[in-house]
Amino acid sequence: MPLLILSFFCFWSSLISFPRSRGGDPMPSFSSSSRCCCFFFFFFSLLQLLLLSNLCFAADPFAFFDWTVSYLTGSPLGDKQQVIGVNGQFPGPILNVTTNWNVVVNVKNDLDEPLLITWNGLQHRKNSWQDGVSGTNCPIPPGWNWTYQFQVKDQIGSFFYFPSLNFQRAIGGFGGITVNNREVIPLPFGLPDGDITIFIGDWYFKSLKKLRKEVEDEGKIGAPDGILINGLGPYNYDKDLVREGIPYEVINVEPGKTYRLRVHNVGISTSLNFRIQNHNLLLVETEGSYTNQQMYMNMDIHVGQSYSFLVTMDQNATSDYYIVASPRFSNASIWKKPVGVAILHYTNSMGPVSGPLPDPPNENDIFTSMNQARSIRWNVTASGARPNPQGSFKYGEITVTDLYVILSGPPELVDGKWQTTLNGISYFSPSTPLNLAQQFNLPGVYKVDFPNKMMDRPPKLDTSLINGTFKGFMEIIFQNNDTLTKSYHLDGYAFFVVGMDFGLWTENSRGTYNKWDGVARSTVQVFPGAWAAILISLDNAGIWNLRAENLDSWYLGQELYLSVVNPEKDTDEVALPGNTIYCGALSALQSDQAGRVKFSDSPSISIGSNVFTIILAMTALLLSINQQNLVICGNI
């Protein structure tokens, strides 16, 4: 640093040491060669500092992404329709990063309505400002951009992002998030030969506006028109069901190799069964937790859930193989729509696949699905994002400080409109996000009085938050009185799934809890007429969204927020971002974006065009070298 200061003084003195043209005596001037030497002395000192600083921070590099979210025209099921893409892709690009990286995503909204992107499963430690839901952020207006900046602190695994407002995920905007292990943390399995992301989900021909209106008018959404795999329709496995010419997904593999498949249910409301003809699925991870490695012939993946499987290409490849995603718990006699079918193609395949699809599980056997869910266990000996084993956090020995029994049911009329509720409350989204209301101490925006059980009163709309005790240990029971399977997701945390069963939960149900290796994840399924119990260590301050991942239930009000306030000042907690968008009661604080991003008109220093040109060129070279170092350190 002293060398850099000395060289800068030399360089600056050489620049200003020319005869004054207006008054005063001329300063002693440097020769051209002296100026050149000082300049390069300064330049290489600066270069050295940049390189050294980059080495110092190589452990936590920055990854930069520019995304434009816009409408595209697609034909997933054969008919042209509007979808939402990211950078012209549907599904969107994979956000591929490593534990502890700093991620900067500049999102431009080219839709005709407001937009927020949320990061399903990323915890945003002490930084709920980046969560991208209506309670944490003002939406990005059409034509505007907003930059998310967050660290994937102490996380590994498979997640996905999607637009969180106004049912938009129903027509796309989603993409995968892969958080890789640091090199110092070994995988609990051999390094796969490839990494493949697969999106499965139900799909409708109806436009986004028609889907929203149907839910508002009828309180529900009808059966989907089909199932997509990676945004594409089904292979023509049945000429009576699947029309000719529909593009389908083909996954190319090499015989004898093992691939990691990251499978996400990004659909609207349908639980799906995932399977690959003649291939076993070795489960190794779900939503950021390594699991006990168990083999499955198929897996029920509920809305919003993510799983990683290792699949070995150990067949003789007499033909290609079916990859299938089919609906669960729907009446097979009524379901006359195509299921999702892609093709697994070996490089030495002898021909196209034919014949019937691999058999699904018994359609009405919901007990088997629950037992499968119970069989998913935490790998307590594996290291996750940190060197210590996952099981070193002994959640079963911690005393519960707060209990919430949250009851959900089918849609009901509240003030003449269809709403869904949790403990009799349908969430009302205020025009001012909760985070901003808390930051600016705005009265009347929300209440921290969400009931810890169902109250004997009529359902209502309200903005009622759970008051979480910082560093407390909360137990939440989801009791599903609906006739459909629901998924519930909590932002900001991974919770422990410790129990589920049919019937009503009672305190005696705790006797069935798994207090040792219940898997830690962020989305749990709750079967109809059943309950699921989760435990959460409330160590992440902020306001966090708890929601139904089923879009129709979420859209009609089945969400709430958990407020966790650190009573002591935490210097590590991220402050209000400088690029915050203001809305609602704080709209007056918002400047027009064009003014905010306009370059300043500050006067330039007259140092001669040639020298200035050299500075620009050298600066560009410095930035290029620094970016290359980031690429090398971070594999951006």
Side-chain angles (χ1 to χ4, degrees), residues 507-537:
E507 292 192 2
N508 292 332
S509 302
R510 292 192 177 112
T512 67
Y513 283 8
N514 177 357
K515 295 186 177 181
W516 168 238
D517 61 355
V519 71
R521 62 186 311 167
S522 58
T523 307
V524 63
Q525 71 271 47
V526 191
F527 295 98
W531 56 267
I534 65 172
L535 299 176
I536 317 163
S537 178

Side-chain angles (χ1 to χ4, degrees), residues 81-303:
Q81 61 184 119
Q82 189 179 73
V83 302
I84 294 176
V86 180
N87 285 356
Q89 301 177 43
F90 169 73
I94 305 297
L95 191 71
N96 193 347
V97 294
T98 297
T99 301
N100 294 343
W101 279 19
N102 298 285
V103 182
V104 181
V105 186
N106 182 37
V107 176
K108 182 184 179 185
N109 178 13
D110 265 1
L111 305 181
D112 59 1
E113 57 185 42
L115 170 74
L116 283 173
I117 299 291
T118 194
W119 320 88
N120 214 58
L122 296 188
Q123 294 175 15
H124 302 297
R125 304 292 300 177
K126 303 180 181 180
N127 190 12
S128 60
W129 297 108
Q130 307 298 321
D131 200 27
V133 286
S134 67
T136 60
N137 301 84
C138 292
I140 307 168
W144 285 40
N145 72 291
W146 196 73
T147 301
Y148 293 87
Q149 181 168 338
F150 53 84
Q151 186 180 28
V152 284
K153 180 70 173 173
D154 293 336
Q155 285 194 266
I156 54 92
S158 309
F159 314 97
F160 66 94
Y161 61 85
F162 66 91
S164 64
L165 299 180
N166 299 325
F167 223 76
Q168 289 166 350
R169 191 180 82 206
I171 64 167
F174 47 77
I177 303 172
T178 297
V179 184
N180 303 289
N181 280 51
R182 293 176 291 164
E183 289 186 0
V184 295
I185 309 293
L187 290 168
F189 44 83
L191 185 67
D193 297 298
D195 198 301
I196 300 168
T197 296
I198 298 177
F199 304 102
I200 59 177
D202 50 6
W203 192 260
Y204 291 77
F205 285 127
K206 296 186 180 85
S207 69
L208 178 59
K209 290 180 173 60
K210 288 183 178 178
L211 285 171
R212 288 194 292 232
K213 189 173 188 310
E214 181 176 327
V215 173
E216 292 167 0
D217 291 347
E218 302 179 22
K220 59 183 179 180
I221 192 168
D225 294 301
I227 307 297
L228 303 190
I229 297 181
N230 282 353
L232 297 173
Y235 172 80
N236 195 343
Y237 67 96
D238 185 331
K239 296 187 183 303
D240 294 330
L241 280 179
V242 183
R243 71 173 68 173
E244 294 286 346
I246 293 178
Y248 55 88
E249 177 76 340
V250 177
I251 294 177
N252 296 301
V253 295
E254 296 184 30
K257 293 193 173 182
T258 297
Y259 295 81
R260 182 172 181 175
L261 271 55
R262 303 174 190 263
V263 187
H264 311 274
N265 186 337
V266 295
I268 297 177
S269 196
T270 304
S271 297
L272 298 172
N273 180 265
F274 179 81
R275 56 197 183 274
I276 302 177
Q277 184 181 27
N278 293 359
H279 290 74
N280 290 320
L281 309 174
L282 180 64
L283 179 66
V284 294
E285 178 258 336
T286 180
E287 297 165 22
S289 285
Y290 289 122
T291 64
N292 281 349
Q293 295 177 22
Q294 300 182 77
M295 201 71 78
Y296 295 89
M297 293 180 64
N298 58 75
M299 177 64 70
D300 287 344
I301 305 179
H302 304 275
V303 180

Side-chain angles (χ1 to χ4, degrees), residues 12 599-607 612:
W12 184 252
F599 289 106
S600 66
D601 294 323
S602 56
S604 58
I605 301 173
S606 178
I607 58 175
F612 185 66

Side-chain angles (χ1 to χ4, degrees), residues 400-476:
V400 170
T401 57
D402 303 277
L403 169 65
Y404 282 80
V405 180
I406 299 180
L407 178 69
S408 66
E412 52 190 321
L413 288 171
V414 180
D415 297 333
K417 294 183 178 180
W418 288 107
Q419 304 287 345
T420 53
T421 64
L422 296 172
N423 280 358
I425 297 176
S426 184
Y427 180 76
F428 174 78
S429 183
S431 59
T432 306
L434 309 175
N435 257 6
L436 286 175
Q438 184 183 78
Q439 174 78 19
F440 288 88
N441 296 314
L442 299 181
V445 175
Y446 64 87
K447 297 173 285 186
V448 189
D449 63 352
F450 188 84
N452 61 3
K453 60 182 180 180
M454 184 68 179
M455 307 297 287
D456 185 16
R457 64 188 184 192
K460 65 175 182 177
L461 274 75
D462 207 351
T463 310
S464 179
L465 280 61
I466 289 179
N467 187 14
T469 304
F470 183 64
K471 293 192 175 179
F473 201 62
M474 181 174 287
E475 179 181 9
I476 294 181

Side-chain angles (χ1 to χ4, degrees), residues 343-358:
I343 296 300
L344 184 72
H345 174 74
Y346 282 55
T347 55
N348 64 340
S349 173
M350 299 178 189
V353 66
S354 61
L357 300 179

